[in-house]
Amino acid sequence: MRSVVLCYNLKGTAKGRKLAMIFGFLGYKIRHVEAEEYKIPLKALVEGGEQTEKELYTGEGFTEEMLIMQAATEDLLDKALFLMHKEKIRVELKAVITPNNQEWDSLSLYREIKKEHEYMKQQEERKQ
């Protein structure tokens, strides 16, 4: 398995360039996912799959930044997260490709991690 990071809404931004340096340094392939690719399964995106006319997404996308990572090793994932933290680069919505979510599309995963992120934020606010 090769290491790949799918980037959403980061193309052409300063944060996107910093992330590209970090992930590139670690040997990850960086792929900026465009809105029309949102219905392609994650597994196909990390393997370099292209959409067909039938799969072309034309609906509303999302504007939040999101990273979806597939790391060859857990150590490589830890290094990427450590460097992001060290460089103070925050992307609120992050996920790792797993056997359970690899057939999901970008919109499905976005909705799920957005829901989880909101729940965690509420729990944090209740503690304060």
Side-chain angles (χ1 to χ4, degrees):
M1 169 189 346
R2 69 182 200 192
S3 297
V4 179
V5 61
L6 303 176
C7 301
Y8 297 79
N9 302 314
L10 289 157
K11 190 175 188 176
T13 66
K15 186 186 291 187
R17 285 187 289 280
K18 288 179 185 176
L19 287 166
M21 286 193 331
I22 288 171
F23 284 101
F25 171 74
L26 294 172
Y28 280 74
K29 178 181 185 298
I30 297 131
R31 178 159 184 188
H32 291 278
V33 180
E34 303 295 337
E36 50 273 354
E37 299 175 298
Y38 284 0
K39 295 306 271 180
I40 299 173
L42 300 173
K43 182 178 181 181
L45 287 172
V46 299
E47 291 173 352
E50 300 296 324
Q51 77 270 11
T52 64
E53 279 300 313
K54 188 178 105 186
E55 295 172 319
L56 192 65
Y57 180 70
T58 58
E60 286 289 314
F62 54 91
T63 58
E64 291 97 338
E65 300 166 339
M66 182 169 76
L67 292 178
I68 302 174
M69 298 163 277
Q70 174 180 280
T73 66
E74 196 170 321
D75 184 53
L76 206 49
L77 177 62
D78 290 342
K79 285 178 182 177
L81 295 172
F82 171 78
L83 289 172
M84 285 177 64
H85 179 75
K86 181 180 176 196
E87 296 297 321
K88 297 178 174 67
I89 302 171
R90 290 183 54 103
V91 176
E92 298 292 332
L93 303 178
K94 293 184 286 298
V96 175
I97 293 184
T98 68
N100 292 331
N101 68 18
Q102 68 182 355
E103 296 302 326
W104 294 14
D105 62 37
S106 298
L107 289 171
S108 299
L109 186 60
Y110 164 76
R111 287 185 203 107
E112 186 63 27
I113 62 177
K114 177 79 172 168
K115 198 171 20 174
E116 290 174 9
H117 179 72
E118 291 300 321
Y119 175 78
M120 297 300 287
K121 216 160 85 173
Q122 288 173 356
Q123 295 302 313
E124 199 59 37
E125 288 170 2
R126 286 186 183 146
K127 288 180 184 178
Q128 296 174 357

